[in-house]
C-alpha cells in the first residue's frame, strides 16, 4: 500500500491536527490511515488516493483555513521546501501588526476625543460606556485583522461540532463585543494572533534546529571523472557508486565509502556520538556527514547518496516521528474530553452564580469568557510532540537511533536487560592473547611458521593469528603442498618438513597429544579461550590462546545500569559454559546462560518479561533478532553501515559503544520528566485562572498572556533536550570551489 503525504501550511498546533483528522478521515477511509508530523507540517495518508480524492482532501483542508500541498519529495530532514510568497511567509506577522496598530489608533482617538487614558483602559471592564463610531470601526478592523487566520477555522469547527481553540477564542471575542467591551474584544483578538505568531515561530525554530542536527551531509562533492581522470564537482545525488571522491581537511565527507589513499582522523560524532576522532587508513570505512580533520584523503564510494548511513538515519527519524508515544496519545485523548468540559465549566460560571447568588450577569458572563480563553488546550497538546521529536533528534545526534516515540519512552520503564555475548559484550573478533612456544622453539619462528600455514585460510581463528603476526613485525615463512581441513586446521611443508596447525580435536585425531600439552590445553580451556596448536612430525611446536575480547567499557556500562536501578542483568549466549562464565565475570554480570539455541533465547527472554514486565534485549541485530523481538525493547549493537541492525531493532546504537545503553535509559527518563513537567505546568496555569475567574479577579488580558506564556514555555522546555548532544564539536563545512571541472589549482589536495 502506497502512502501520499501533504505539507499543511498553517498547521502549528495539535488542535489543528484533530480538526484535520475529523475532516479528512471520512474521505480516506478512517482515522487509522492518517498520521501527522507537527514539526514538519506534514500529513500522511496510508492509502492509495486517486486524483479526485486528492482534490477532495485539498478542498477539505482549505475549508479549515489551512492549505494542503502534495509532498514533492524534495525535502531535507523531513522539511519540505515549497516556494512561498510574502503573504505565506509573513501573513501572520502582518495581520498581527495591523491588528495591534489599529487597536492603538482606536485608543488614541478615544483619548483625543477627551477620554482619560486610564479611564479608557479601566472601562474595558466597566459598564460599557459609549464609544465613538470611528473608534468602534477601528476596533472592528483590529478584531478582523487579528482573527483573519482564526475565524475561518472557528466556523469550520462549529459546523463539525468539534470545539477547538479557534472556536473558544471566537466565542470570547463575540462575548466581549456583546458586553460592549470593544477594547477587550480587540485585545483578545490581537493577543491571540500574537500568541499564534510566537508559537508558529517557536515551532519553526524547533524545526530548523532539528533539521540542522540531521541535515549534515554536504550537497556537493569533488570526484575523479572515470572518463578522463579530471577532478570535477557535482551534486552528491549524481555521483555513481564506485567513484573516487576527494575530501580535504576540515570538510565533511559527502558519501559512504572505503579509503583508497591517504591517512587521516575523522570526527564521527555527528553520527555515532564518539568524542574522539577515528583513525582512517586505506581500507577503512568512512561515512557521509562525518568530518575529515587532519589530511586529504581519497575514497571509493560504496553507496548512493540516497542510501548512505546518514540518509537511512534521517529516514528512520522521520518515520519515528509518526509513531506516536503513549504520552502523546494520552494527551490527544485527554484534549478531546477537556475542551468540551471547559466549555461547560465556562457556561456554568456564567450562569450558575447569578441564578444562585443573585450576582450581576455581566460580571459572571465576563468571567466565563475568561475561562473560555484559558481553556485553550494548545500548550497542553503541543508540548508532547515537540519534546518527543527533540528527544529523538538529540538521541540520533548522540549515535542512538530510536524508531519512534513509543521506543523513546520504553527505556525509562526498563526493569531488566539481557545481553548477547559475541559482538555485544565482546568485539566479535577473536584475537591472540598468548603465544607459548614448546620443545625448544622460539616465539618468532613459531609465528613465522604459523603465518605460512594460516595465510591461505579465511577462518576467524586463522585471521586472528595473521593479525597478531602482522603486529609483531615477523616475516612469514613460505609453505608448500598446502592442504586445508575444513573446520579443523591445515597441513603444509615448510623447509622440507611437514607441519600441521589446528584445533585440539585435530591434534588428538592425529595422535600427537602428550601429557604436557593436555595439561596446558585444559588450563587454557578453563580460562574460556580457544586452543590452536601447531606441531610437526615428531612433537608439538607451540600453543596459541585465542579469545574474543570483552569490550573495555562493558564492566562500566553494567555497573551504570545497576546504579540507575535495573533489577536484573543477564548474559545469554550459544557459546560454551566456560567461555560464558569468563565473559560474564569480566563484564560484572552474575547471571548467565550458555549453550542456548535461538529458540532457547526467546524462551528465556519471554520468562524475564513475565517476571519483570518491561525488559530489553541487546544483541547484534541479526542472530539475536527473535530474542530482540520477544523483548519489550530490542537494542542492536554496531548499526554503522549495517542495514540488518537498523531494520531489526527498535533502537540501534550507531557505534559499538555499550556506554550508550545506560545513557539511553537516562535520556528516556529525562524526556518523560520534561513531558510530565509540561503537562503539569499547563494544567496548573489553567486551574489557577479558573479559580481566579470564580473569584472574579481574572481578566481576558491576563488569560491570553498566561496561555501564550504557557505555550512558549512548554515548547522551549521541550527543546532543552536538543542540548544533550554528542561531544566532539562540529566544524563548518567550507564553501566549494565554483570554477568548473578543475575545481582547485591543486585538486588532489
Amino acid at each position: 500500500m502506497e502512502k501520499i503525504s501533504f505539507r499543511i501550511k498553517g498547521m502549528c498546533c495539535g488542535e489543528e491536527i484533530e480538526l484535520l483528522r475529523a475532516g479528512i478521515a471520512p474521505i480516506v477511509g478512517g482515522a487509522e490511515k492518517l498520521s501527522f508530523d507537527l514539526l514538519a507540517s506534514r500529513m500522511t495518508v496510508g492509502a492509495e488516493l486517486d486524483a479526485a480524492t486528492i482534490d477532495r482532501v485539498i478542498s477539505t483542508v482549505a475549508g479549515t483555513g489551512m492549505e494542503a500541498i502534495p509532498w514533492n519529495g524534495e525535502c531535507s530532514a523531513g522539511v519540505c521546501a515549497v516556494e512561498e510568497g510574502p503573504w505565506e511567509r509573513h501573513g501572520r506577522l502582518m495581520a498581527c501588526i495591523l491588528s495591534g496598530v489599529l487597536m492603538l489608533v482606536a485608543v488614541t482617538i478615544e483619548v483625543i476625543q477627551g477620554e482619560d487614558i486610564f479611564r479608557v483602559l479601566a472601562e474595558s471592564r466597566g459598564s460599557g460606556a459609549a464609544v465613538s463610531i470611528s473608534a468602534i470601526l477601528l476596533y472592528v478592523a483590529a478584531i478582523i485583522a487579528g482573527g483573519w487566520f482564526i475565524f475561518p477555522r472557528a466556523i469550520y469547527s462549529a459546523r463539525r461540532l468539534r470545539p477547538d481553540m479557534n472556536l473558544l477564542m471566537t466565542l470570547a471575542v463575540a462575548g466581549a463585543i456583546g458586553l460592549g467591551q470593544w477594547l477587550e474584544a480587540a485585545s483578545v483578538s490581537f493577543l491571540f494572533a500574537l500568541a499564534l505568531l510566537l508559537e508558529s515561530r517557536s515551532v519553526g525554530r524547533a524545526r530548523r534546529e532539528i533539521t540542522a542536527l540531521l541535515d549534515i551531509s554536504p550537497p556537493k562533492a569533488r570526484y575523479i571523472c572515470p572518463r578522463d581522470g579530471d577532478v570535477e564537482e557535482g551534486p552528491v545525488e549524481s555521483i555513481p557508486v564506485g567513484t573516487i571522491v576527494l575530501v580535504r581537511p576540515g570538510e565533511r565527507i559527502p558519501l559512504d565509502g572505503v579509503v583508497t589513499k591517504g591517512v587521516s582522523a575523522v570526527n564521527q560524532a555527528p553520527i555515532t556520538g564518539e568524542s574522539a576522532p577515528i583513525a582512517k587508513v586505506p581500507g577503512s570505512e568512512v561515512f557521509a556527514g562525518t568530518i575529515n580533520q587532519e589530511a586529504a584523503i581519497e575514497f571509493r564510494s560504496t553507496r548512493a547518496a540516497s542510501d548512505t548511513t546518514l540518509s537511512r538515519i534521517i529516514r528512520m527519524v522521520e518515520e519515528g516521528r509518526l509513531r506516536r508515544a503513549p504520552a502523546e496519545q494520552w494527551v490527544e485523548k485527554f484534549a478531546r474530553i477537556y475542551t468540551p468540559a471547559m466549555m461547560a465549566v465556562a457556561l456554568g460560571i456564567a450562569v450558575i452564580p447569578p441564578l444562585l447568588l443573585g450576582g450581576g450577569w455581566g460580571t459572571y458572563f465576563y468571567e466565563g469568557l475568561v475561562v473560555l480563553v484559558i481553556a485553550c488546550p494548545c500548550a497542553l497538546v503541543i508540548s508532547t510532540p515537540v519534546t518527543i521529536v527533540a528527544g529523538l533528534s538529540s538521541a540520533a545526534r548522540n549515535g542512538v537511533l530510536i524508531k519512534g516515540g513509543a521506543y523513546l519512552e520504553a527505556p525509562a520503564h526498563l526493569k531488566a536487560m539481557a545481553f548477547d555475548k559475541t559482538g555485544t559484550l565482546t568485539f566479535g573478533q577473536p584475537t591472540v592473547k598468548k603465544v607459548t612456544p614448546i620443545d625448544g622453539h622460539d616465539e618468532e619462528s613459531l609465528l613465522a611458521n604459523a603465518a605460512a600455514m594460516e595465510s591461505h585460510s579465511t577462518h576467524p581463528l586463522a585471521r586472528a593469528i595473521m593479525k597478531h603476526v602482522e603486529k609483531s613485525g615477523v616475516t612469514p615463512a613460505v609453505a608448500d603442498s598446502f592442504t586445508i581441513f575444513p573446520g579443523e586446521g591445515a597441513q603444509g611443508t615448510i623447509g622440507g618438513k611437514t607441519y600441521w596447525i589446528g584445533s585440539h580435536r585435530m591434534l588428538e585425531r592425529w595422535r600427537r597429544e602428550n601429557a604436557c600439552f593436555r595439561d596446558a590445553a585444559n588450563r587454557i580451556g578453563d580460562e574460556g579461550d580457544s586452543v590452536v596448536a601447531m606441531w610437526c612430525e615428531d612433537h608439538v611446536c607451540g600453543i596459541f590462546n585465542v579469545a574474543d575480547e570483552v569490550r573495555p567499557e562493558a564492566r562500566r556500562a553494567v555497573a551504570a545500569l545497576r546504579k540507575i536501578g535495573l533489577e536484573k542483568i543477564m548474559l545469554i549466549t550459544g557459546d560454551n559454559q566456560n567461555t560464558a562464565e569468563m565473559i560474564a565475570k569480566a563484564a560484572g554480570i552474575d547471571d548467565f546462560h550458555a549453550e542456548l539455541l535461538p529458540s532457547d533465547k526467546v524462551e528465556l527472554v519471554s520468562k524475564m518479561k513475565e517476571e519483570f514486565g518491561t525488559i530489553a534485549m541487546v544483541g547484534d541485530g541479526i542472530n539475536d533478532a527473535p530474542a530482540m523481538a520477544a523483548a519489550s525493547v530490542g537494542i542492536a549493537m554496531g548499526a554503522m553501515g549495517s542495514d540488518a541492525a537498523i531494520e531489526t531493532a527498535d533502537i540501534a546504537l550507531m557505534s559499538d559503544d555499550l556506554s550508550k545503553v545506560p545513557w539511553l535509559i537516562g535520556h528516556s527518563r529525562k524526556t518523560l520528566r520534561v513531558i510530565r513537567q509540561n503537562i503539569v505546568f499547563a494544567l496548573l496555569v489553567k486551574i489557577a485562572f479558573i479559580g481566579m475567574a470564580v473569584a472574579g479577579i481574572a481578566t481576558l488580558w491576563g488569560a491570553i498572556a498566561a496561555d501564550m506564556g504557557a505555550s512558549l514555555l512548554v515548547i522551549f522546555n521541550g527543546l532543552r533536550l536538543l542540548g544533550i548532544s554528542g561531544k566532539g564539536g562540529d566544524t563548518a563545512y567550507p564553501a566549494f570551489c565554483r570554477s568548473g571541472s578543475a575545481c582547485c589549482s591543486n585538486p588532489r589536495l
Side-chain angles (χ1 to χ4, degrees), residues 106 153-154 191 217 221 249 328 335 388 477 615 625 649 661 671 701:
R153 300 180 193 184
L191 288 174
S217 181
E328 193 173 357
I388 290 293
I615 73 160
V661 178
T671 302
W701 302 57

Side-chain angles (χ1 to χ4, degrees), residues 306-342:
S306 61
D307 194 38
T308 63
T309 300
L310 177 62
S311 299
R312 296 201 309 275
I313 293 172
I314 293 173
R315 282 198 298 271
M316 296 300 291
V317 172
E318 289 175 17
E319 292 170 4
R321 292 179 186 176
L322 304 180
R323 300 186 183 101
R324 294 183 297 163
E328 193 173 357
Q329 296 176 38
W330 179 86
V331 167
E332 287 187 4
K333 291 176 182 177
F334 176 77
R336 292 189 197 119
I337 302 171
Y338 164 85
T339 303
M342 291 300 287

Side-chain angles (χ1 to χ4, degrees), residues 337-573:
I337 302 171
Y338 164 85
T339 303
M342 291 300 287
M343 293 186 71
V345 170
L347 181 63
I349 290 175
V351 173
I352 294 175
L355 290 176
L356 297 182
L357 305 177
W361 285 90
T363 299
Y364 285 104
F365 184 74
Y366 180 90
E367 299 302 341
L369 296 182
V370 171
V371 173
L372 282 182
V373 171
I374 199 63
C376 173
C378 210
L380 187 66
V381 174
I382 199 172
S383 63
T384 307
V386 169
T387 304
I388 290 293
V389 175
L392 291 174
S393 300
S394 178
R397 189 68 172 80
N398 275 272
V400 180
L401 180 58
I402 304 174
K403 291 187 175 180
Y407 305 120
L408 177 58
E409 280 194 31
H413 306 295
L414 288 176
K415 301 296 183 183
M417 187 171 291
F419 285 92
D420 175 48
K421 181 187 77 70
T422 305
T424 304
L425 289 174
T426 69
F427 285 104
Q429 297 177 347
T431 57
V432 176
K433 291 176 60 178
K434 185 179 179 181
V435 179
T436 307
I438 299 176
D439 204 0
H441 288 268
D442 61 83
E443 185 171 333
E444 184 175 347
S445 64
L446 181 61
L447 289 174
N449 291 342
M453 303 287 285
E454 299 289 32
S455 62
H456 300 276
S457 175
T458 59
H459 192 279
L461 297 182
R463 289 200 299 268
I465 291 174
M466 288 303 300
K467 286 183 180 179
H468 186 78
V469 171
E470 290 173 8
K471 287 182 180 179
S472 302
V474 174
T475 302
V478 178
D480 301 318
S481 305
F482 190 81
T483 303
I484 292 178
F485 301 98
E488 290 189 313
Q491 173 187 324
T493 302
I494 303 174
K497 191 172 185 178
T498 303
Y499 288 85
W500 292 263
I501 188 168
S503 64
H504 190 180
R505 184 173 62 253
M506 179 180 174
L507 184 70
E508 289 178 330
R509 186 165 64 82
W510 285 79
R511 302 179 184 275
R512 294 292 192 271
E513 188 181 39
N514 56 40
C516 179
F517 173 84
R518 188 182 301 110
D519 291 341
N522 290 337
R523 190 165 57 250
I524 294 170
D526 291 342
E527 295 173 1
D529 296 350
S530 299
V531 176
V532 176
M534 185 167 187
W535 66 97
C536 58
E537 296 164 346
D538 54 358
H539 64 273
V540 176
C541 306
I543 303 174
F544 297 86
N545 295 40
V546 184
D548 188 2
E549 288 187 89
V550 177
R551 297 183 186 276
E553 75 277 10
R555 192 173 189 89
R556 295 193 304 274
V558 170
L561 290 171
R562 284 204 178 92
K563 188 174 181 180
I564 61 179
L566 261 66
E567 299 175 21
K568 183 82 167 181
I569 300 173
M570 183 185 294
L571 168 64
I572 56 178
T573 178

Side-chain angles (χ1 to χ4, degrees), residues 29 34 62 73 81 87 107 110 160 179 199 268 276 334 338 398 453 462 478-479 634 683 704 714 747:
L34 291 172
W87 179 252
V107 171
E110 287 200 75
R160 292 273 175 176
L179 291 174
E199 186 174 81
Q268 296 188 162
F334 176 77
Y338 164 85
N398 275 272
M453 303 287 285
V478 178
L683 289 176
I704 282 282
V714 298

Side-chain angles (χ1 to χ4, degrees), residues 105-152:
V105 172
V107 171
T108 302
I109 287 176
E110 287 200 75
V111 173
I112 291 174
Q113 290 176 345
E115 295 286 349
D116 181 80
I117 180 64
F118 297 106
R119 185 165 175 243
V120 171
L121 296 177
E123 283 187 348
S124 66
R125 290 223 48 211
S127 60
V131 182
S132 67
I133 295 297
S134 58
I136 289 177
L137 291 175
L138 287 169
Y139 282 134
V140 170
I143 291 168
I144 293 173
W148 188 262
F149 292 95
I150 301 167
F151 298 151

